[in-house]
Amino acid sequence: MYAVIDTETTGLLPSHRHRVIEIAVVLLDARGQVEHEWVTLLNPQRDLGPQHIHGILTADVLAAPEFSDIARQLGQLLAGRMVVGHNVEFDLGFLRAEFARLGVAVPLITERSMCTMALAEYLHPGSKRTLGACCAAAGIPLEGWHSALADTRATAQLFAHYLGAFASPPPWQWAYEEVRRLPWPELPGTDVAPTVRPVHAGGRHGWMSRLVDQLPRVPEPPQADSYLVLLDTLLANREITAADADQLVQVATELGLTRPQVDHLHRCYVSELAAASWAAGSVTPDQRSDLDQVALMLGQRVTDVDEALVGASDGRYVVPDRPGARGFPPGSTLVFTGDMVEPREVWWDRAVAAGFVPQEAVRPDTTFLVAADVDSLSVKARMAREFGVPIISADDFRRLILPDHRKAG
């Protein structure tokens, strides 16, 4: 009767050629009992976008099927079932776009689907918006966050829990009857075996993700939670890249949010995040640095965090001194490739401050390449391998230039 879905993607916008790189489906019967599970990684034939969010590496998808390979299998799983998801419109938008690339239109209709984020607010006014918070309120464990299968299993359990609040048949039975009769087109694809993500990929990260789960819903404007749940997702790892920020601007535009509305949402978000951090206990210097980073990423000021923490603590929070930048001894030539957590120009300036000599292109005499993903298929990475130039990860470079400092992203 139900098909619970979740996707991991290369970005936030299917309209900007972002792709699905992992999809999971859990089939439920009318009582919410699990009938079948299916999951696979997908090779998008492009870079993987925010790997700090979904945790999937290039090496993981090289042998994975493309969407066209699994389209028929996926259609068979979804046909005749009501689709369920947490912020389901996000996943439906990406699936519609993937099928459209194959030249077919599929009956994945938002108004004929179920969203557990919306159900949570309907059943429990004042509930939080993230999947983690909704699951915690229902006593449902959420392991391996940002693994499509883990999120889908949790969403399926959450929906089954919510089903218990309604008599049988549920009030949306009429919509299910419509969905059950909708015809699906003939789809391409084979019986290719799915590719399951390795154990290393994904995983729920601690402090910031717990704070995000405590943030309240925002009823006005009506599109606010649809925007903020994506911001929650990006910030659960304490990380947001310049590319992420650009995508958020476009998401806000597509949702009809004005710039003043977004700025107001960001100010409130930073304030609520700071208040949640104080409520969770004392704020360490590393945690304070994280809050500052989030504020700056959202176009707010570090002093806004000061004010929020002082207000949340009734004046007990002591605003820290802020030391200046430190220097490093001269180093070697380097090139950056891939989407770093912070904007490229930030790392360029840090490399210069540390005495390194950044270059735009890889040359035979380049000392090393700093890559967001050491298995990158970018032109720079291919040139580095051809010239025998060592490739190090962004984390290794952080440790190289900030040996006794917190991670800078």
Side-chain angles (χ1 to χ4, degrees):
M1 182 166 183
Y2 302 107
V4 187
I5 64 170
D6 186 72
T7 61
E8 298 299 328
T9 64
T10 64
L12 304 178
L13 297 161
S15 59
H16 282 48
R17 299 175 65 186
H18 293 148
R19 303 295 302 274
V20 175
I21 53 175
E22 187 179 30
I23 181 167
V25 182
V26 174
L27 302 183
L28 303 179
D29 64 17
R31 298 171 299 163
Q33 298 298 306
V34 175
E35 296 178 323
H36 180 67
E37 291 183 346
W38 179 85
V39 63
T40 188
L41 291 168
L42 296 170
N43 187 333
Q45 295 295 310
R46 55 154 288 169
D47 70 273
L48 299 184
Q51 292 170 292
H52 58 285
I53 298 293
H54 52 64
I56 299 171
L57 304 180
T58 304
D60 300 333
V61 303
L62 289 177
E66 296 181 33
F67 188 85
S68 59
D69 298 322
I70 58 91
R72 188 175 66 191
Q73 294 180 60
L74 180 59
Q76 290 169 347
L77 291 168
L78 301 182
R81 291 180 179 262
M82 176 172 276
V83 174
V84 180
H86 198 79
N87 192 28
V88 69
E89 169 56 16
F90 178 85
D91 301 296
L92 290 179
F94 268 92
L95 291 184
R96 287 191 292 259
E98 290 287 357
F99 281 112
R101 287 187 181 91
L102 303 179
V104 294
V106 293
L108 293 174
I109 305 168
T110 302
E111 293 75 19
R112 298 296 181 267
S113 63
M114 298 300 297
C115 179
T116 50
M117 186 172 74
L119 274 176
E121 174 65 11
Y122 176 78
L123 293 171
H124 307 289
S127 64
K128 307 299 192 295
R129 63 178 164 260
T130 68
L131 177 59
C134 291
C135 285
I140 296 169
L142 178 55
E143 302 294 337
W145 191 71
H146 281 310
S147 149
L149 183 57
D151 283 3
T152 308
R153 284 172 172 166
T155 303
Q157 292 181 65
L158 189 62
F159 182 68
H161 175 77
Y162 291 160
L163 268 177
F166 297 95
S168 183
W172 56 81
Q173 182 71 22
W174 65 272
Y176 164 70
E177 294 298 336
E178 283 190 13
V179 169
R180 189 169 61 86
R181 294 190 294 268
L182 290 173
W184 276 67
E186 193 72 26
L187 295 170
T190 64
D191 293 326
V192 63
T195 298
V196 181
R197 71 159 66 195
V199 174
H200 70 78
R204 187 167 174 78
H205 296 254
W207 180 73
M208 186 62 75
S209 67
R210 291 193 295 273
L211 289 190
V212 165
D213 282 348
Q214 301 310 309
L215 300 184
R217 288 176 181 261
V218 180
E220 294 294 334
Q223 313 93 321
D225 273 335
S226 295
Y227 173 78
L228 292 175
V229 72
L230 298 179
L231 183 55
D232 293 336
T233 300
L234 294 175
L235 289 184
N237 272 12
R238 197 201 73 243
E239 299 170 351
I240 178 172
T241 67
D244 293 334
D246 290 341
Q247 291 174 47
L248 282 170
V249 171
Q250 186 61 37
V251 167
T253 300
E254 293 187 1
L255 288 171
L257 293 169
T258 65
R259 183 166 182 171
Q261 286 174 325
V262 171
D263 188 59
H264 175 71
L265 290 175
H266 286 179
R267 284 199 304 274
C268 293
Y269 196 97
V270 169
S271 179
E272 294 287 355
L273 201 61
S277 68
W278 181 260
S282 61
V283 180
T284 68
D286 281 359
Q287 291 168 345
R288 176 55 209 264
S289 294
D290 292 343
L291 292 173
D292 291 347
Q293 179 179 321
V294 170
L296 294 172
M297 289 170 177
L298 297 181
Q300 307 304 302
R301 301 167 300 174
V302 170
T303 53
D304 294 330
V305 183
D306 291 338
E307 293 172 5
L309 285 171
V310 170
S313 66
D314 295 325
R316 287 174 290 163
Y317 178 78
V318 178
V319 177
D321 294 330
R322 297 187 175 89
R326 58 175 290 183
F328 291 87
S332 307
T333 57
L334 77 155
V335 175
F336 294 103
T337 187
D339 287 337
M340 305 295 180
V341 170
E342 293 178 286
R344 179 71 57 79
E345 55 268 23
V346 171
W347 284 107
W348 186 285
D349 290 345
R350 284 175 177 158
V352 171
F356 292 107
V357 182
Q359 299 172 335
E360 289 287 356
V362 175
R363 300 195 292 260
D365 61 350
T366 299
T367 307
F368 63 95
L369 176 74
V370 180
D373 178 0
V374 294
D375 293 313
S376 173
L377 299 178
S378 70
V379 172
K380 291 178 181 177
R382 291 199 297 267
M383 293 298 292
R385 295 186 185 101
E386 180 178 339
F387 293 143
V389 173
I391 301 175
I392 69 170
S393 70
D395 281 341
D396 286 339
F397 186 61
R398 288 186 182 99
R399 287 187 285 269
L400 181 64
I401 67 171
L402 303 173
D404 61 350
H405 197 276
R406 74 174 187 94
K407 281 188 177 182

